[in-house]
């Protein structure tokens, strides 16, 4: 059986270097999206006999580092889709490119990924990739079991516990609600970096239609990035560990028609009175 | 490490190794206490990720990584728990490594492989109640019986990992009349008769590591447990400590780094005189000094490790790294307490723990005074750097 | 690739109408459908179009009156026994047919798990664009829908638009819009759509029941006390409970508090939790990332207490107190109990 795990390399949270519409992911240290890590572990848990696990990611050249880490975790092959023509892709164009790559890998039985990424958090790629591949979609999965060609997923969707059943080939996304710890080993990292066996494919390798990748293939456009507006004018109090802070607060609240003290006293059965 | 390019940046591989060690340490090592951190469960998890055989080749079950990677692992583990960093460092560098460098195939199979797998923990037994820096004058000795077995008598003090280890690199005199040349190394196991452990030491810091004394009373150790040749003990000890020092230096860097991070956080939050401490220049001075010291120490570790990885002589540099890093760790952790004020002095805040943990790095694996002798001797012989 | 309609070079002007997917199984929890209908009415007025509610299911006609009373102009009702169980595969197939026939310009979904799964599926099938977790919607001068959602670990907001592709699809965070009051006199056109469900159903969905939760009523509370990482000890939470009890407030929290097991999942305020809009919100020890602050923008008065004067939360509150939250709460309790 061939299992493809799709992953995205995302910036380490503290490494955000300014907010632009298309951040320079090359310069920022990247990690495997934690929810995709769950999918990698899922694939490793499902694998039996000579099942093959292939890690696939679309990104700039330094994505190689995360793909080497997947090899260190036990994945059999790693493929990086990298091409300047993929740049500025929205989730639809990204999903299309991934589907072309999966088509080129050929005879894929199962595609696994995280339900969303920690940086853009749209959760679109899983469902859209399933559409391009025309695979049944099992989303927000907590646990997967395989019985021959039948796949069964336990999941929770909007507080409804559900059991999904489908036939392979299929695509499953792992829930973001319970991130899981899954480490590579030191030996794995050494071997992966020594062998450096990440295959790189560009747009021609996957026979992608140019009008469907990158900016051309992206119906959505980010018009601009805003830092949230300061709608409120703040009154600051520097607390000196005295009751003065409390008196000040109650006064400010009263000015805003929030009669906190009165409300509390009313609840306790006192008559209200002015401060 | 070849070619004309001088590269002082960590490679992608090293970054991933640091990330792994850091993520693991942050997730798996408890930080709410000092004692009882090293459990069977933690040892098992460390073993599964190859932390007990960082540099040994895959044929022995090791990760096959370089010294730079080893230093990174120890630094990251120590940033969360210096006691755990110490266990892993000693196990790798002064317990397992000598068996790899000097052992017979039998010894490697019998002792090294389980050590690398983390099934058994190793330790290095040189120090005695009457012999610290004066290592040549250890009193533990062995006589040989008719069958060729070694009958060992003596005491070992302050054995790191002592209470949880069951493979011991035991340094003793086999020819008690000849000092220096008469030292040999035996690989001892905990199950043997005549062997006993003392109580776990009540130490100022490094309290998560179960350090204790060992006692040998007519303990019988078979002849195939002699490591290297008779009389080669001192040379083996020095070779081991050359590498061990890199680990200790890395440990000191990790401790200092943790102290810096805590100080930065506190300086940002604590308000005095109506503003955060971080806006006060004298606090900024502390932070700057800590930062410079840590960066320099980390680079000295990197240098010593890289030289070893290039196959070049590195003794002077591992001494320098250990000497410098341990000193700046003491300074950084002292500054950290100062920055935190009274809270820094309180046991419940956790800052003074860094300070207590740092102190021993100036003492063990060759006291800094001894390091300076080593460094001076090296410089007096040839003042230039090894690759100039 | 014949399955996919490509967006044309010119925006297709024959698309008309703002549709809201009736997320009826999540109805009582979120009432998001009603919130979206109300916002849609406001948007529809600016582009002179109608608001349609889409009801897919089996025996769901009770919602027709609700949606009418809350502002929908047209209700599209698609009922069939096979549609009783929510299935994104079946519902997506139904919606694609409906969309191809009626050509709505805008399609809004609740940001429920289901909405956030089905919206991108539709977008893929129609080669349309979609955004997720919007906290604001507006129409720009070109008549396009501007979808605003949090980005970059919640530190910024992105304005997203699909200039050409139609329909424009958005999923919206529950609680960011208000519903209109129930209007008993409202009227709407009911369109019953007969559909041949000859779609392939490749994923069988079996329901194992709802997870029982207790509703803390955070979304409807007048006063809320919220505790964050900087206040997440057992002792502090106890103080916070006492305070909220005295104030007759609901107690909410951020994720780090949940992870320590100090409060239940239902108390979570934020992107994956609840959106609140109380009269008074007191925030203790919360730093203020946008995925939290975006969920509290509807609050009338926000009081924030944090040790770090640079904490982002101080840009979001009305009254900011720089100091130790624990000591502050102790003193406040003392004053309130006098």
């Amino acid at each position: 059986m061939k299992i493809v795990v799709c992953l995205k390399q995302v910036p380490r949270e503290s490494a955000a270097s300014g907010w632009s519409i298309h951040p320079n992911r090359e310069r920022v240290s990247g990690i495997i999206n934690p929810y995709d890590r769950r999918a990698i572990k899922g694939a490793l848990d499902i694998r039996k006999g000579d099942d093959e696990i292939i890690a696939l990611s679309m990104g700039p050249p330094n994505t190689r580092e995360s793909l080497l880490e997947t090899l260190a975790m036990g994945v059999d092959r790693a493929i990086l889709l990298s091409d300047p023509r993929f740049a500025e892709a929205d989730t639809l164009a990204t999903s299309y490119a991934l589907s072309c790559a999966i088509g080129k890998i050929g005879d894929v039985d199962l595609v696994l990924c995280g339900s969303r990424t920690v940086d853009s958090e749209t959760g679109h790629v899983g469902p859209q990739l399933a559409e391009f591949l025309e695979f049944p979609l099992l989303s927000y999965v907590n646990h997967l079991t395989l019985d021959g060609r039948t796949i069964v997923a336990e999941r929770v969707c909007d507080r409804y516990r559900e059991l999904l059943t489908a036939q392979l080939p299929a695509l499953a996304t792992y829930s973001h609600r319970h991130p899981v710890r899954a480490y590579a080993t030191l030996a794995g990292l050494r071997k992966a970096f020594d062998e450096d066996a990440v295959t790189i494919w560009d747009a021609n390798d996957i026979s992608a239609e140019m009008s469907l990748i990158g900016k051309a293939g992206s119906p959505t456009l980010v018009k601009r990035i805003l830092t949230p507006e300061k709608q409120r004018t703040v009154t600051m109090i520097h607390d000196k560990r005295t009751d003065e802070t409390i008196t000040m607060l109650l006064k400010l609240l009263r000015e805003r028609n929030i009669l906190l003290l009165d409300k509390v006293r009313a609840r306790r059965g006192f008559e209200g009175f002015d401060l | 490490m070849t070619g004309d390019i001088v590269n002082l940046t960590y490679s992608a591989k090293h970054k991933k190794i640091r990330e792994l060690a850091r993520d693991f340490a942050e997730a798996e090592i408890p930080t709410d206490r000092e004692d009882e951190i090293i459990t069977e469960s933690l040892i098992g998890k460390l073993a599964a990720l190859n932390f007990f055989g960082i540099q040994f080749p895959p044929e022995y079950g090791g990760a096959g990584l370089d010294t730079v990677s080893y230093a990174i692992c120890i630094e990251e583990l120590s940033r969360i728990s210096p006691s755990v960093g110490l266990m892993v460092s000693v196990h790798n560098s002064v317990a397992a490594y000598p068996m790899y460098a000097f052992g017979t195939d039998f010894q490697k199979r019998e002792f090294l492989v389980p050590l690398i797998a983390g099934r058994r923990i190793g330790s290095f037994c040189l120090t005695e109640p009457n012999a610290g820096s004066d290592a040549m004058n250890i009193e533990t000795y062995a006589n040989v019986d008719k069958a060729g077995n070694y009958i060992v008598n003596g005491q070992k003090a302050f054995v790191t990992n002592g209470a949880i280890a069951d493979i011991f690199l035991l340094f003793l005199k086999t020819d008690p009349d000849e000092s220096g040349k008469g030292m040999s190394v035996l690989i001892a196991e905990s199950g043997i008769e005549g062997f006993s452990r003392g109580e776990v030491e009540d130490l100022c810091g490094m309290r998560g590591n179960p350090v204790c004394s060992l006692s040998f009373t007519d303990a019988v150790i078979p002849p195939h447990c002699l490591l290297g040749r008779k009389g080669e003990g001192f040379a083996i000890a020095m070779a081991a400590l050359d590498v061990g020092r890199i680990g200790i230096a890395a440990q000191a860097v990790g401790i200092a780094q943790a102290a810096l991070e805590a100080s930065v956080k506190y300086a940002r939050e604590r308000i005095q005189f109506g503003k955060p401490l971080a806006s006060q220049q004298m606090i900024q001075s502390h932070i700057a000094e800590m930062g410079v010291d840590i960066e320099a120490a980390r680079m000295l570790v990197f240098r010593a490790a890289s030289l070893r990885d290039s196959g070049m002589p590195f003794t002077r540099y591992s001494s320098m790294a250990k000497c410098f890093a341990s000193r700046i760790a003491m300074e950084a952790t002292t500054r950290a307490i100062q920055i935190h004020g009274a809270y820094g002095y309180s046991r419940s805040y956790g800052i003074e723990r860094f300070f207590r943990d740092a102190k021993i790095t100036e003492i063990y694996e060759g006291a800094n005074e001894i390091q300076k002798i080593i460094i001076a001797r090296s410089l007096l012989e040839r003042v230039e750097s090894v690759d100039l | 690739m014949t399955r996919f309609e490509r967006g044309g070079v010119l925006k297709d002007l024959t698309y008309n109408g703002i549709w809201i997917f009736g997320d009826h199984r999540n109805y009582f929890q979120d009432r998001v459908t009603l919130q979206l209908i109300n916002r849609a009415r406001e948007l529809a007025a600016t582009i002179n179009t109608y608001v349609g509610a889409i009801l897919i299911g089996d025996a769901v006609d009770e919602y027709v009156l609700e949606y009418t009373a809350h502002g929908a102009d047209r209700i599209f009702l698609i009922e069939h026994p096979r549609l009783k169980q929510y299935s994104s595969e079946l519902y997506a197939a139904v919606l694609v047919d409906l969309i191809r026939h009626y050509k709505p310009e805008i399609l809004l979904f609740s940001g429920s798990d289901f909405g956030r799964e089905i919206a991108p599926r539709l977008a893929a099938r129609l080669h349309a664009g979609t955004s997720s977790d919007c906290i604001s919607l507006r129409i720009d001068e070109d008549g396009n829908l501007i979808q605003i959602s949090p980005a970059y670990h919640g530190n910024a907001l992105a304005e997203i638009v699909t200039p050409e592709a139609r329909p424009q699809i958005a999923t919206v965070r529950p609680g960011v819009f208000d519903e209109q009051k129930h209007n008993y006199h409202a009227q709407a056109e009911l369109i019953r759509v007969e559909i041949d469900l000859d779609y392939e159903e490749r994923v069988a969905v079996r329901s194992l029941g709802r997870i029982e939760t207790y509703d803390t009523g955070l979304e409807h509370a007048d006063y809320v006390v919220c505790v964050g990482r900087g206040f997440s000890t057992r002792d502090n939470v106890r103080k916070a409970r006492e305070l909220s009890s005295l104030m007759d407030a609901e107690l909410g929290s951020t994720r780090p508090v949940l992870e320590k097991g100090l409060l239940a999942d239902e108390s979570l305020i934020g992107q994956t939790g609840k959106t609140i809009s109380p009269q008074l919100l007191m925030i203790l020890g919360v730093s203020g990332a946008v995925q939290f602050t975006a969920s509290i923008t509807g609050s009338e008065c926000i009081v924030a207490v944090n040790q770090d004067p640079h904490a982002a939360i101080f840009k979001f509150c009305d009254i900011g107190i720089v100091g130790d939250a624990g000591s502050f709460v102790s003193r406040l309790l003392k004053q309130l109990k006098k």
Side-chain angles (χ1 to χ4, degrees):
Chain A
M1 189 174 62
K2 259 194 224 178
I3 306 173
V4 170
V5 180
C6 290
L7 60 126
K8 183 181 176 192
Q9 178 167 287
V10 297
R12 272 201 101 100
E13 184 156 3
S14 55
S17 50
W19 307 313
S20 62
I21 289 174
H22 295 287
N24 187 348
R25 290 200 277 149
E26 263 297 320
R27 269 199 271 118
V28 169
S29 181
I31 59 168
I32 296 176
N33 174 35
Y35 309 127
D36 295 334
R37 200 176 270 274
R38 198 171 172 199
I40 299 168
K41 183 169 195 298
L44 292 168
D45 288 341
I46 288 176
R47 172 167 60 186
K48 280 200 292 278
D50 38 298
D51 290 344
E52 192 189 7
I53 304 176
I54 300 150
L56 173 66
S57 185
M58 187 175 109
N62 71 359
T63 310
R64 166 186 158 267
E65 295 165 20
S66 289
L67 285 167
L68 286 172
E69 193 182 343
T70 66
L71 289 167
M73 288 170 77
V75 145
D76 300 296
R77 260 207 290 161
I79 299 170
L80 170 59
L81 286 184
S82 190
D83 190 319
R85 291 170 290 184
F86 291 140
E88 296 180 59
D90 70 0
T91 54
L92 193 70
T94 303
S95 307
Y96 168 71
L98 289 170
S99 72
C100 293
I102 291 171
K104 183 176 161 81
I105 293 171
D107 297 321
V108 171
D109 300 290
L110 181 61
V111 177
L112 300 176
C113 55
S115 63
R116 57 167 72 165
T117 59
V118 291
D119 60 351
S120 32
E121 293 185 289
T122 60
H124 291 167
V125 171
Q128 293 184 331
L129 181 54
E131 289 290 327
F132 280 111
L133 293 170
E134 295 185 38
F135 279 11
L137 168 68
L138 301 95
S139 55
Y140 306 116
V141 169
N142 278 322
H143 188 67
L144 271 183
T145 42
L146 269 182
D147 183 11
R149 302 290 295 174
T150 306
I151 182 168
V152 178
E154 284 169 45
R155 67 103 174 258
V156 174
C157 178
D158 294 322
R159 294 212 172 106
Y160 289 88
R161 216 174 250 131
E162 294 172 348
L163 215 60
L164 307 178
T165 314
Q167 295 297 110
L168 296 182
L171 184 147
T173 70
Y174 278 86
S175 167
H176 54 280
R177 294 214 160 87
H178 303 284
V180 115
R181 289 172 198 164
Y183 308 106
T185 63
L186 290 172
L189 283 173
R190 197 259 326 143
K191 183 165 184 280
F193 276 87
D194 277 354
E195 291 172 2
D196 201 9
V198 174
T199 310
I200 302 183
W201 284 346
D202 66 15
N204 296 333
D205 292 319
I206 59 172
S207 312
E209 281 187 50
M210 296 302 140
S211 65
L212 295 178
I213 60 170
K215 194 157 182 217
S218 303
T220 64
L221 184 67
V222 177
K223 238 179 139 175
R224 52 183 182 152
I225 302 282
L226 310 160
T227 34
E229 281 155 23
K230 267 204 261 189
Q231 294 155 329
R232 302 171 194 260
T233 40
V234 191
T235 306
M236 295 293 287
I237 305 175
H238 285 274
D239 184 35
K240 292 179 174 66
R241 288 185 176 251
T242 62
D243 285 344
E244 202 189 308
T245 305
I246 310 297
T247 316
M248 183 86 174
L249 172 65
L250 292 173
K251 176 165 164 284
L252 288 168
L253 288 176
R254 186 163 264 271
E255 283 167 12
R256 287 169 166 77
N257 294 315
I258 293 172
L259 309 172
L260 179 59
L261 197 56
D262 298 18
K263 189 180 189 211
V264 167
R265 286 190 176 146
R267 254 171 78 75
R268 296 177 64 213
F270 284 103
E271 290 172 47
F273 60 89
D274 282 327
L275 278 169
Chain B
M1 293 291 160
T2 54
D4 298 325
I5 299 168
V6 172
N7 199 346
L8 271 183
T9 56
Y10 291 101
S11 69
K13 176 183 79 175
H14 289 135
K15 279 194 282 189
K16 279 293 172 190
I17 286 168
R18 187 180 290 275
E19 200 184 292
L20 169 62
R22 180 173 290 216
D23 288 347
F24 178 86
E26 285 179 351
E28 310 286 349
I29 300 178
T31 48
D32 57 349
R33 56 183 185 274
E34 253 186 279
D35 304 34
E36 283 161 43
I37 297 175
I38 296 175
T39 57
E40 250 187 69
S41 163
L42 180 65
I43 289 175
K45 289 178 187 172
L46 284 162
L49 302 187
N50 312 121
F51 278 96
F52 290 110
I54 298 169
Q55 289 190 256
F56 301 103
E59 307 86 82
Y60 294 99
L65 287 166
D66 57 10
T67 315
V68 173
S69 305
Y70 161 69
I72 289 171
C73 289
I74 305 303
E75 183 193 333
E76 291 300 328
L77 291 175
S78 303
R79 172 179 166 269
I80 301 294
S81 166
S83 301
V84 174
L86 179 64
M87 169 182 66
V88 173
S89 176
V90 160
H91 178 103
N92 271 274
S93 61
V94 292
Y97 167 69
M99 289 182 212
Y100 174 73
F102 300 95
T104 61
D105 283 343
F106 169 79
Q107 288 167 343
K108 287 177 188 173
R109 252 194 334 269
E110 190 71 12
F111 303 115
L112 181 61
V113 167
L115 281 178
I116 291 172
R119 284 199 299 273
R120 306 175 83 182
I121 301 295
S123 69
F124 179 86
C125 313
L126 177 58
T127 299
E128 291 180 5
N130 288 336
S133 293
D134 190 10
M136 289 217 260
N137 280 318
I138 53 174
E139 290 165 358
T140 305
Y141 67 95
N143 289 318
V144 183
D145 73 6
K146 288 207 189 77
N149 294 316
Y150 295 94
I151 312 298
V152 179
N153 279 282
Q155 311 261 14
K156 290 297 178 185
F158 297 112
V159 177
T160 301
N161 296 345
I164 55 171
D166 37 29
I167 294 181
F168 307 89
L169 226 52
L170 180 58
F171 291 81
L172 39 64
K173 291 290 178 71
T174 40
D175 295 289
D177 297 323
E178 288 187 61
S179 69
K181 295 215 184 87
M183 198 191 288
S184 304
V185 192
L186 292 177
I187 303 174
E189 293 180 86
S190 52
I192 59 178
E193 266 207 51
F195 167 83
S196 67
R197 288 183 239 243
E199 293 294 310
V200 171
E201 295 284 347
D202 186 15
L203 299 172
C204 167
M206 218 55 78
R207 295 180 63 84
N209 194 295
V211 172
C212 67
S213 59
L214 306 177
S215 186
F216 297 86
T217 313
D218 292 329
V220 181
I221 298 179
H224 57 249
C225 289
L226 175 71
L227 184 65
R229 287 189 303 271
K230 243 189 181 181
E232 211 181 0
F234 192 73
I236 292 174
M238 292 303 106
L241 289 168
D242 268 357
V243 185
R245 263 177 236 130
I246 296 178
I248 298 308
Q251 181 196 36
V253 172
I255 298 171
Q257 176 69 23
L260 175 61
E261 288 175 20
S263 301
V264 164
K265 180 174 186 293
Y266 187 75
R268 284 189 47 152
E269 289 174 358
R270 172 74 170 174
I271 311 292
Q272 290 287 274
F273 309 104
K275 22 184 197 173
L277 286 188
S279 63
Q280 304 286 14
Q281 285 191 339
M282 286 200 229
I283 300 295
Q284 289 171 6
S285 170
H286 279 309
I287 301 284
E289 302 263 16
M290 288 161 91
V292 170
D293 285 346
I294 291 168
E295 194 63 35
R298 191 178 283 122
M299 284 303 104
L300 261 180
V301 172
F302 188 76
R303 173 97 166 122
S306 299
L307 284 170
R308 178 168 186 249
D309 288 335
S310 307
M312 299 180 75
F314 65 96
T315 303
R316 179 199 295 187
Y317 303 90
S318 66
S319 272
M320 284 179 163
K322 193 270 190 192
C323 201
F324 185 75
S326 57
R327 172 161 62 81
I328 65 101
M330 269 318 291
E331 285 178 16
T333 54
T334 308
R335 285 186 208 272
I337 296 182
Q338 193 67 16
I339 289 169
H340 284 77
Y343 290 107
Y345 203 62
S346 156
R347 293 285 300 263
S348 35
Y349 220 62
I351 301 302
E352 49 77 50
R353 197 266 293 158
F354 298 132
F355 173 83
R356 286 186 287 110
D357 282 342
K359 187 64 191 118
I360 190 65
T361 63
E362 293 188 298
I363 298 170
Y364 61 19
E365 295 222 13
N368 283 5
E369 290 81 355
I370 301 296
Q371 300 311 322
K372 289 190 205 175
I373 291 173
I374 296 173
I375 296 165
R377 199 174 285 158
S378 171
L379 287 165
L380 288 167
E381 207 177 274
R382 178 194 140 97
V383 75
E384 276 108 0
S385 188
V386 72
D387 47 358
L388 281 173
Chain C
M1 299 302 290
T2 51
R3 213 173 123 81
F4 302 98
E5 282 180 7
R6 312 240 174 122
V9 172
L10 290 168
K11 184 164 66 185
D12 188 336
L13 295 170
T14 64
Y15 281 78
N16 186 36
I18 302 182
W19 280 13
I20 287 89
F21 173 75
D23 203 350
H24 53 82
R25 87 169 172 182
N26 289 316
Y27 182 86
F28 287 109
Q29 223 60 30
D30 296 338
R31 294 176 77 86
V32 190
T33 314
L34 307 183
Q35 294 165 5
L36 292 178
I37 290 174
N38 188 32
R39 181 64 186 138
R41 282 188 73 76
E42 293 165 1
L43 297 171
T46 67
I47 51 174
N48 198 24
T49 189
Y50 72 93
V51 175
I54 316 300
L55 254 184
I56 301 175
D58 187 39
V60 288
D61 46 317
E62 67 193 270
Y63 297 102
V64 173
L65 273 174
E66 268 299 294
Y67 295 167
T68 306
H70 283 266
D73 299 308
R74 292 177 211 176
I75 321 270
F76 296 82
L77 178 61
I78 304 97
E79 291 185 301
H80 193 287
R82 271 178 73 200
L83 295 170
K84 187 178 168 66
Q85 163 67 49
Y86 263 38
S87 152
S88 81
E89 194 177 29
L90 266 187
Y91 282 33
V94 169
L95 281 165
V96 165
D97 277 349
L98 282 176
I99 290 166
R100 286 195 174 131
H101 187 84
Y102 291 100
K103 298 170 120 183
E105 190 179 356
I106 292 171
L107 181 49
L108 302 177
F109 288 88
S110 154
S112 58
D113 291 341
F114 186 80
R116 295 180 66 163
E117 176 191 330
I118 199 171
R121 296 191 78 156
L122 290 175
R125 257 189 239 188
L126 302 167
H127 202 85
T130 180
S131 69
S132 70
D133 199 38
C134 292
I135 57 162
S136 182
L137 295 170
R138 64 183 173 81
I139 306 280
D140 75 1
E141 15 354 293
D142 298 322
N144 288 320
L145 178 69
I146 305 291
Q147 308 168 28
I148 296 167
S149 68
Y152 300 115
H153 290 286
N155 286 309
L157 294 174
E159 276 194 354
I160 296 165
V161 67
T162 64
E164 280 135 25
R166 292 293 177 268
Q168 301 165 90
I169 305 174
T171 60
V172 180
R173 183 180 295 186
V176 294
F177 300 126
D178 288 318
E179 59 188 71
Q180 171 188 289
K181 270 173 111 103
H182 194 107
N183 177 2
Y184 294 94
H185 304 294
Q187 293 197 316
E189 188 191 337
L190 173 62
I191 303 165
R192 276 181 202 281
V193 183
E194 295 302 325
I195 220 158
D196 262 335
L197 279 185
D198 59 352
Y199 308 115
E200 193 192 353
E201 210 179 334
R202 297 170 304 168
V203 179
V205 184
R206 197 176 106 215
S207 177
L208 299 173
R210 270 197 66 178
I211 296 176
E212 287 305 321
T213 58
Y214 56 95
D215 203 23
T216 59
L218 263 178
E219 296 110 318
H220 308 291
D222 283 334
Y223 287 13
V224 173
V225 173
C226 179
V227 295
R229 185 194 295 269
F231 207 67
S232 58
T233 62
R234 219 162 273 287
D235 213 45
N236 281 340
V237 170
R238 188 189 45 78
K239 274 192 216 169
R241 253 193 241 282
E242 196 189 340
L243 180 63
S244 46
S245 168
L246 256 185
M247 284 168 61
D248 196 18
E250 289 291 338
L251 184 59
S253 69
T254 61
R255 188 160 285 284
V257 179
L258 287 194
E259 281 171 358
K260 285 190 179 181
L262 293 168
L263 284 170
D265 284 4
E266 288 67 41
S267 67
L268 181 65
I269 296 171
Q271 189 180 24
T272 49
K274 297 191 171 139
T275 302
I276 58 172
S277 43
Q279 273 175 41
L280 172 64
L281 171 60
M282 198 170 290
I283 313 179
L284 308 166
V286 173
S287 59
V290 162
Q291 72 237 114
F292 171 76
T293 57
S295 307
I296 61 170
T297 51
S299 313
E300 276 174 42
C301 177
I302 300 176
V303 177
V305 188
N306 194 302
Q307 284 196 107
D308 181 356
H310 301 296
I313 195 70
F314 288 130
K315 297 186 176 72
F316 282 95
C317 60
D318 299 287
I319 301 167
I321 300 174
V322 182
D324 174 57
S327 144
F328 167 80
V329 171
S330 299
R331 278 174 280 140
L332 180 59
L333 281 170
K334 213 172 92 184
Q335 280 286 320
L336 293 176
K337 288 197 278 198
K338 261 198 201 154

